[in-house]
Amino acid sequence: MQMLPAGRDGVLVQVADAAEAVALARFARAAQVQAVEVVPGAETVLFDGVGDRSALEGLLARWSPEAAETVGPLVELSTSYDGADLDAVADLWGTDVAGVVARHSGIEFVSAFCGFAPGFAYLSGLPEHLAVPRRDTPRTRVPAGSVALAGAWCGVYPGASPGGWQLLGTTDAGLWDETRDEPALLAPGTRVRFVPR
């Protein structure tokens, strides 16, 4: 774990991977870290608005990746596997469409971090041997609710937007709602399963 200054009162902590970032962020929040924001990333956690850097260092010294608790709530997303890139992913995985559905729906993903758009969660858990490339030519409009893959990440587009990920299907889940206590349905640490319908 490496700590780097980030702006006037921020600290960026580098960790090994997304799972450690989620675990560290959960630990820090549970310990009531004195920071305005705790934001996990792919291999980092940003602590912004840190009033006492030495207190943060002391807290982080008590954290151990081996003992980290990463189990968050489970959200099941009812999914129609009707995506435009389903056949292409099947070819990349050396299987058929039914094989893609079985593999994808058999994985318990974990929301590692959010970004790109409100409610868009980068979901980890896809094995590296199933990683897929982004499309050569991004689409100008990906429909809201599209379930997609890029690299070893899975994600669901919360609203219509451009995008270059491989589209597997669609879900009707409301990913972002400012009226909820936690606006993001798939906040970091949330476990996610896609349920075929």
Side-chain angles (χ1 to χ4, degrees):
M1 181 168 49
Q2 182 179 6
M3 297 175 62
L4 303 168
R8 188 177 66 240
D9 56 0
V11 175
L12 186 68
V13 179
Q14 294 180 324
V15 293
D17 54 29
E20 281 193 13
V22 168
L24 176 57
R26 288 175 61 87
F27 166 80
R29 288 185 188 122
Q32 299 182 334
V33 65
Q34 298 204 358
V36 175
E37 296 272 357
V38 179
V39 184
E43 296 176 350
T44 60
V45 179
L46 173 65
F47 294 88
D48 196 21
V50 175
D52 184 348
R53 185 179 165 116
S54 62
L56 176 63
E57 290 173 356
L59 174 69
L60 297 180
R62 298 194 323 255
W63 179 71
S64 166
E66 293 78 25
E69 176 63 52
T70 59
V71 177
L74 175 65
V75 172
E76 293 185 336
L77 300 177
S78 179
T79 303
S80 295
Y81 283 90
D82 55 4
D85 301 315
L86 210 48
D87 289 329
V89 172
D91 287 346
L92 289 166
W93 286 1
T95 187
D96 56 13
V97 168
V100 171
V101 173
R103 288 178 186 173
H104 185 259
S105 64
I107 297 170
E108 184 174 278
F109 293 92
V110 176
S111 174
F113 58 96
C114 294
F116 167 64
F120 187 92
Y122 288 80
L123 306 176
S124 63
L126 190 70
E128 278 296 329
H129 72 277
L130 296 180
V132 298
R134 294 175 60 95
R135 290 175 46 83
D136 290 336
T137 304
R139 292 179 170 89
T140 56
R141 186 178 184 282
V142 175
S146 293
V147 177
L149 301 176
W153 297 104
C154 181
V156 182
Y157 286 78
S161 68
W165 289 32
Q166 306 280 352
L167 305 182
L168 297 185
T170 54
T171 182
D172 297 329
L175 301 174
W176 181 260
D177 182 348
E178 293 177 10
T179 65
R180 292 191 298 235
D181 287 342
E182 177 63 63
L185 179 65
L186 307 180
T190 303
R191 297 175 296 135
V192 181
R193 281 201 172 273
F194 293 90
V195 179
R197 61 177 174 211

